[in-house]
Amino acid sequence: MRIALSKRECYHADIYCSDSNSAKKTLRENQISILAVDFYLYGRENGTHVLAWARKKKLLPPYVVVTESDRNKRVLLAEELTKGGYNSADGTTFIKH
């Protein structure tokens, strides 16, 4: 199942979550193969908060795609993923080893 965490529906996914509460619920309740994430979400939390929470709970899938267009925010998301053991050749597609 493909999940997209974003305020905009720019990625082909089975489920779209636009806020952190729905994202956390979806991550807890579903078997996820690919997670697409943007920095900006509705509410107080952003994509890095959700990634940090999911990493601590061991809920991140093996493949994560950063769909954020702002380079500075994309770097923040990438840093959170590398903390969790993810690697990327292009800074967009991350694979856990």
Side-chain angles (χ1 to χ4, degrees):
M1 179 176 290
R2 295 171 302 198
I3 307 295
L5 309 181
S6 177
K7 291 192 315 186
R8 53 196 169 96
E9 293 184 7
C10 65
Y11 187 80
H12 297 304
D14 300 310
I15 298 175
Y16 293 93
C17 300
S18 60
D19 62 271
S20 63
N21 290 334
S22 64
K24 290 176 181 179
K25 181 179 182 204
T26 302
L27 288 168
R28 277 193 307 264
E29 295 177 353
N30 295 290
Q31 185 70 18
I32 300 167
S33 58
I34 298 174
L35 174 67
V37 61
D38 268 352
F39 182 82
Y40 295 105
L41 302 173
Y42 292 114
R44 288 189 292 178
E45 293 184 325
N46 57 44
T48 54
H49 292 117
V50 175
L51 289 177
W53 174 86
R55 181 176 50 83
K56 290 175 187 170
K57 301 284 185 181
K58 300 191 184 314
L59 296 173
L60 287 175
Y63 300 100
V64 179
V65 178
V66 176
T67 57
E68 179 59 50
S69 57
D70 182 342
R71 185 181 188 284
N72 294 327
K73 302 304 183 198
R74 197 169 52 241
V75 168
L76 294 174
L77 292 165
E79 287 174 356
E80 192 59 47
L81 288 167
T82 54
K83 288 179 191 175
Y86 285 81
N87 293 320
S88 175
D90 61 1
T92 301
T93 306
F94 289 83
I95 301 170
K96 180 139 185 179
H97 291 286

